[in-house]
DNA sequence: TTTTTGACCATTTGAGTAAAATAGTCGAGA
DNA sequence: TCTCGACTATTTTACTCAAATGGTCAAAAA
């Protein structure tokens, strides 16, 4: 689910690979379709055979990164058994990934600032994925008797707010450097978040 | 503490009152110092006798509103005894206030978008106030034996993240209307946040 | 002393213009 | 199925000029 269908098409892969390089270097605005086309030795029009718009290429590039993060996160979560442990690992892994991606995506800051719509689709996609992950995790924990029973609506709200909080923390990690000390306490935070819904 | 010293100066009060009206109607950018000055029957230069910059006037106007919110919040918190009850009331009261202020401040959205620095001072002020409030509340709860003992650093992190989360929720309430249902569950949320640090 | 003012300055903003760049389309053809 | 060059419609850029605006200051008024 939600993989960025790069697979099995060498041209698409080449486009995405070069696009990632150029976008990463010059940002969205300063990278033209011409640039990308030239870089793979094709004409601009050819790109439009594979991708409908420039935004679509951008989103595909980011999706590759997101898939990588997801793989990593789920891989980590699979190494432990209980819901609390999984939650803690998810919490810390997600932020670990963010730290790595800060440099890579700092070029887009200006682009996103003046065109918030750029990240809208990606953001929604990410939200829905994270919420699903959290949702499933809670159900899993309830089934195992580690998390207290909650109504569907409560689960949904907790899920949304927890995701929101993680995003807020992520943004801080992204923007402010003095928030490094939050990083040291991710485990403590995951704990308090989880305690709130643990079985007594 | 942190009152906006409007008191005892009728001219400053008049400036702020008219400025609030104009700023609320036209926003920051479209309200000129001339406009404000004319509205109170003085020359533009006179404003600079009372306030150093246009931003200072803006901040003072917002500060009046913040003071009102603070008074209300602390008033509500004073009506109950225990730390958990105080926290719940703080949580719900703060968001109740936000709901009311949405219309009032929607004019500034464009201004803040293209000039984030406008809200920087105000935001920092607000953060530090909220964090102090939360900090004191935790100490109070620990003293009463309702909240489990925590290190200073843990308290500080919990405080920052809780404030961050409240701000994130507030922003959602501000921007998105479909988040109305979060409002219905504020009490549940306050509960889960608090459970995380309650004494077992 | 405290408050207010108009003249003044330095910068920013707004409207307008023309040329260049760019995203996206299309029919022809490999 | 895939690629291309020519083409179009729209944006962007660089530029100019006049008006507007935030802020200063010395002098006057209260």
């Amino acid at each position: 689910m939600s993989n960025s269908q790069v697979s099995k098409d060498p041209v698409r892969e080449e486009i995405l690979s070069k696009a990632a390089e150029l976008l990463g270097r010059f940002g969205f605005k300063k990278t033209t379709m011409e640039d990308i086309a030239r870089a793979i030795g094709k004409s601009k029009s050819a790109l439009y055979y594979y991708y409908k718009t420039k935004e679509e290429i951008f989103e595909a590039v980011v999706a590759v990164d997101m898939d990588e993060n997801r793989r990593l996160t789920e891989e980590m979560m699979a190494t432990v058994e209980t819901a609390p442990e999984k939650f803690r690992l998810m919490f810390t892994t997600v932020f670990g990934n963010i730290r790595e991606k800060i440099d890579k995506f700092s070029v887009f800051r200006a682009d996103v600032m003046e065109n918030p719509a750029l990240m809208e689709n990606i953001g929604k996609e990410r939200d829905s994925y994270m919420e699903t992950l959290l949702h499933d995790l809670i159900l899993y924990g309830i089934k195992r008797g580690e998390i207290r029973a909650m109504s569907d609506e409560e689960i949904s709200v907790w899920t949304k707010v927890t995701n929101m909080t993680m995003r807020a923390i992520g943004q801080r990690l992204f923007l402010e450097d003095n928030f490094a000390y939050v990083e040291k306490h991710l485990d403590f935070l995951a704990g308090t978040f989880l305690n709130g819904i643990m079985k007594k």
Side-chain angles (χ1 to χ4, degrees), chain A:
Chain A
M1 58 198 67
S2 90
N3 75 0
S4 46
Q5 69 208 65
V6 192
S7 48
K8 294 295 179 202
D9 191 332
V11 183
R12 289 176 88 99
E13 273 184 31
E14 204 185 356
I15 292 175
L16 249 43
S17 159
K18 275 291 174 201
E21 187 188 321
L22 292 175
L23 288 171
R25 188 122 65 105
F26 303 113
F28 181 80
K29 202 176 170 186
K30 299 220 167 202
T31 302
T32 71
M33 294 297 266
E34 270 284 333
D35 293 338
I36 301 173
R38 289 274 171 84
I40 60 172
K42 288 193 193 298
S43 102
K44 186 183 58 163
S45 310
L47 294 185
Y48 285 95
Y49 180 76
Y50 298 95
Y51 294 97
K52 269 208 261 298
T53 64
K54 192 182 176 186
E55 280 80 10
E56 201 172 296
I57 294 183
F58 174 76
E59 285 170 14
V61 165
V62 177
V64 171
D65 249 274
M66 292 217 320
D67 284 350
E68 170 72 9
N69 281 6
R70 289 171 185 182
R71 228 205 61 248
L72 232 144
T73 303
E74 295 185 28
E75 210 175 282
M76 290 299 290
M77 288 172 70
T79 64
V80 293
E81 182 73 14
T82 70
E85 282 175 312
K86 281 180 191 293
F87 182 74
R88 275 165 205 273
L89 267 180
M90 173 188 168
F91 211 84
T92 51
T93 307
V94 164
F95 291 116
N97 293 346
I98 284 179
R99 255 282 179 255
E100 280 174 30
K101 299 295 159 56
I102 285 182
D103 289 339
K104 194 167 185 176
F105 285 95
S106 60
V107 203
F108 298 125
R109 224 175 293 186
D111 291 318
V112 174
M113 285 278 275
E114 71 179 44
N115 182 14
L118 242 195
M119 287 294 284
E120 210 177 271
N121 290 335
I122 295 166
K124 277 182 184 166
E125 237 272 328
R126 196 201 124 95
D127 281 346
S128 92
Y129 169 76
M130 288 293 288
E131 281 170 23
T132 305
L133 204 61
L134 286 167
H135 190 93
D136 292 348
L137 186 54
I138 289 193
L139 291 184
Y140 177 77
I142 292 176
K143 197 181 292 173
R144 285 175 58 90
E146 294 156 350
I147 292 175
R148 70 160 210 264
M150 294 159 66
S151 74
D152 284 353
E153 222 174 342
E154 282 177 333
I155 292 177
S156 159
V157 171
W158 186 88
T159 278
K160 276 198 159 45
V161 170
T162 300
N163 175 45
M164 231 156 73
T165 306
M166 290 180 73
R167 239 184 23 191
I169 295 176
Q171 273 175 11
R172 291 299 177 101
L173 286 178
F174 200 93
L175 300 172
E176 300 175 30
D177 276 331
N178 64 332
F179 249 71
Y181 81 99
V182 167
E183 234 177 346
K184 284 187 227 149
H185 295 277
L186 287 178
D187 206 62
F188 158 75
L189 282 178
T192 62
F193 265 78
L194 207 61
N195 277 350
I197 56 173
M198 287 282 274
K199 204 165 224 174
K200 296 294 165 60

